[in-house]
Amino acid sequence: MYVKVGIDAGDFTYETQLPVKPGCMVVVPFKRTTKIGWVIDISREPNLPEAIKLRKVRQLISRKQVIENNLIQLAKWVANYYVAEVGHVIEHMLPQSIRRKSITRLLPRAKEFEIKNVRPQVDVLWEVDPTVRWDYYKHAIERTLSEGKDVLVLVPEQRDHRMLQDVPFYTSELRDSDKKRLWLALRRGDLRVVCGTRSAVFLPFRGLGLIIVEREDSKHYKEQDHPHYHARDVAIMRAMFEGIRVILGTGSPSLETYLNIKKGKYKLVNEPKFDELKIDVITLRKRQIFSPELKRKISNILQRGGKVVLFINLRGYSRYLICEDCGHTLRCPRCGVGLVYYRAGKMLRCHYCGYKEVAPTVCPNCQGTNIRYVSLGVERVLRRARASGLRQYFGMWSLIRLTLSL
């Protein structure tokens, strides 16, 4: 018998006579050492050239299936789509204590899932008011539970759990003992509803019927470490393999979700309501930041007790410095991109790698002193807004700078 085993270096074929099943944990030789891995496929033929001599599985750690076939299928997809090792993906799915030999005797009997591989029902709730979204979720949860199915609610951040305080919460920041307790309870079928952040998408539900992804547009669903999966997309693929429904809730859908709505792949369950927007395009004179029309409108809004947001898509004071004598621009020696000038500290910084240096007063290329600040940054706009000449428009209202680095 031949088995394909997923380890942290990839997936490899081994020969064995041990009573293994998909999802069992084994020890296999790899180069001059041994590694722990998971059986992901079994076959009677190796489907390899006859000249290749296969090594044998050294040890069967657990006769019980540590990971069930539905999650093996999901791990394979994640590994293929995000260019990762399937063994590493499975390690990411399991609490650390579950991967120990001593805990395997506590594992409940594995369930054999039917891999349906059908287009899932993906419903999009496009609603700005989070209270309305959560009311919709709660009705969907009650309906799913009444049908005898389980529910997973994914949230981007831990603070979002407050809307389901009485529901167990799973996050990577939990102690491993708490992760193990919740994981085993799900494997036994003791829990019906769980709320969690992105890693909860891999939890071993016995009969999942609904996945809710709150604020599906949030950047927090993207895993920054290896494997670099996106929990929203993994949830949709899990729904495809298990033939269940997904609800994507958002106040402002991601471009991917919006495109899938337009293509008819996702269904919009409500009619989003928006206030009519009025956009004015104004041509500014040279070196002008605030047009007279913008000043008047800001003043009118503030007088009525309103608030104003000035969106500037650049941190710092200026996008880059240029020598007007020779045209030389200062660039990051690592990345090759223009260095952003920060007036505070008179520093040049690279927003990609973090490189920084003191801004020069003379051009390092031609020794000229005619250096110009190009483009507008938040610091420059805020400095101009606070200038005494604009007090007549802004009065004594406070001005706040908000950037990602603050």
Side-chain angles (χ1 to χ4, degrees):
M1 182 167 60
Y2 301 91
V3 294
K4 185 170 284 188
V5 178
I7 59 176
D8 59 6
D11 53 278
F12 300 90
T13 301
Y14 293 86
E15 185 179 354
T16 186
Q17 298 301 322
L18 298 171
V20 297
K21 298 178 181 178
C24 288
M25 190 159 50
V26 294
V27 177
V28 294
F30 185 76
K31 295 185 178 179
R32 295 183 179 180
T33 185
T34 59
K35 287 183 176 288
I36 292 177
W38 290 266
V39 177
I40 58 174
D41 277 314
I42 297 177
S43 63
R44 294 294 177 186
E45 298 295 332
N47 197 24
L48 294 169
E50 292 184 4
I52 295 179
K53 184 178 179 180
L54 294 176
R55 304 175 79 177
K56 294 184 177 181
V57 174
R58 289 278 180 87
Q59 180 187 357
L60 174 59
I61 295 179
S62 170
R63 290 176 180 267
K64 293 181 179 179
Q65 294 162 278
V66 179
I67 183 168
E68 293 165 310
N69 67 314
N70 63 325
L71 294 180
I72 292 175
Q73 185 72 20
L74 189 62
K76 289 178 182 178
W77 180 85
V78 171
N80 179 66
Y81 190 78
Y82 294 102
V83 194
E85 303 79 18
V86 67
H88 189 80
V89 175
I90 293 175
E91 285 183 359
H92 189 85
M93 289 179 164
L94 301 172
Q96 187 175 0
S97 55
I98 297 296
R99 306 198 297 266
R100 296 175 186 155
K101 182 178 179 180
S102 59
I103 202 68
T104 56
R105 59 184 175 81
L106 300 176
L107 291 176
R109 186 181 180 86
K111 178 182 176 180
E112 188 69 24
F113 289 84
E114 178 189 356
I115 305 301
K116 298 185 178 178
N117 207 15
V118 295
R119 177 179 286 186
Q121 177 186 346
V122 182
D123 295 334
V124 180
L125 178 62
W126 188 346
E127 172 57 54
V128 175
D129 189 347
T131 304
V132 175
R133 292 201 304 270
W134 280 101
D135 286 342
Y136 184 89
Y137 300 155
K138 289 174 182 177
H139 283 104
I141 291 171
E142 291 174 1
R143 186 165 57 251
T144 304
L145 293 175
S146 68
E147 296 170 355
K149 296 292 186 178
D150 303 334
V151 179
L152 169 63
V153 181
L154 292 178
V155 293
E157 300 176 83
Q158 188 167 348
R159 61 185 175 88
D160 296 302
H161 178 229
R162 67 185 186 275
M163 302 302 291
L164 290 175
Q165 288 285 1
D166 56 338
V167 171
F169 187 70
Y170 187 91
T171 175
S172 59
E173 297 177 2
L174 286 177
R175 293 180 303 177
D176 196 69
S177 58
D178 294 329
K179 290 181 183 178
K180 179 190 74 173
R181 191 179 303 110
L182 195 149
W183 192 93
L184 288 173
L186 279 169
R187 181 73 175 259
R188 291 191 301 266
D190 295 341
L191 293 177
R192 302 288 309 282
V193 184
V194 172
C195 180
T197 51
R198 59 178 174 262
S199 59
V201 74
F202 300 117
L203 288 174
F205 287 87
R206 305 301 282 175
L208 195 57
L210 172 65
I211 301 177
I212 297 171
V213 184
E214 161 64 350
R215 287 166 53 203
E216 62 83 23
D217 54 292
S218 173
K219 65 178 183 180
H220 295 287
Y221 285 122
K222 180 67 176 179
E223 175 61 64
Q224 298 304 312
D225 298 324
H226 188 67
H228 302 281
Y229 67 92
H230 196 294
R232 177 201 60 215
D233 299 338
V234 174
I236 292 171
M237 290 307 299
R238 182 170 184 175
M240 186 183 83
F241 294 141
E242 300 184 30
I244 62 177
R245 180 190 181 201
V246 179
I247 298 175
L248 304 180
T250 179
S252 175
S254 62
L255 289 177
E256 300 95 327
T257 297
Y258 183 77
L259 180 61
N260 282 318
I261 292 172
K262 290 295 184 182
K263 287 184 174 180
K265 293 182 178 180
Y266 297 172
K267 177 185 176 184
L268 195 59
V269 297
N270 67 322
E271 191 65 35
K273 298 178 181 179
F274 306 103
D275 295 330
E276 188 174 345
L277 299 176
K278 184 172 184 257
I279 299 175
D280 294 328
V281 179
I282 299 173
T283 301
L284 298 175
R285 297 194 301 272
K286 187 176 181 180
R287 299 187 184 278
Q288 186 182 50
I289 295 179
F290 297 97
S291 67
E293 180 67 14
L294 178 60
K295 293 175 185 177
R296 284 194 296 271
K297 289 192 174 182
I298 291 176
S299 179
N300 292 337
I301 291 171
L302 294 177
Q303 292 292 343
R304 296 197 303 267
K307 298 178 182 179
V308 177
V309 173
L310 297 175
F311 177 74
I312 310 297
N313 64 338
L314 178 68
R315 289 175 284 166
Y317 187 85
S318 177
R319 187 174 298 277
Y320 59 90
L321 302 185
I322 186 171
C323 174
E324 300 231 297
D325 294 331
C326 68
H328 178 73
T329 60
L330 286 94
R331 297 185 174 274
C332 175
R334 301 171 185 166
C335 307
V337 298
L339 293 170
V340 177
Y341 175 65
Y342 282 77
R343 188 180 179 89
K346 297 184 178 179
M347 299 294 295
L348 294 172
R349 297 182 185 176
C350 174
H351 286 170
Y352 290 88
C353 70
Y355 172 82
K356 61 182 178 180
E357 65 178 60
V358 177
T361 55
V362 297
C363 174
N365 185 55
C366 71
Q367 307 304 313
T369 58
N370 192 13
I371 295 178
R372 181 165 65 91
Y373 306 111
V374 179
S375 189
L376 294 173
V378 172
E379 282 186 358
R380 193 174 184 184
V381 173
L382 187 62
R383 180 179 174 86
R384 187 67 65 87
R386 284 173 171 163
S388 57
L390 298 178
R391 293 288 185 184
Q392 58 179 312
Y393 299 101
F394 297 139
M396 298 306 294
W397 279 274
S398 62
L399 295 165
I400 300 174
R401 175 168 62 100
L402 180 64
T403 66
L404 187 64
S405 58
L406 290 180

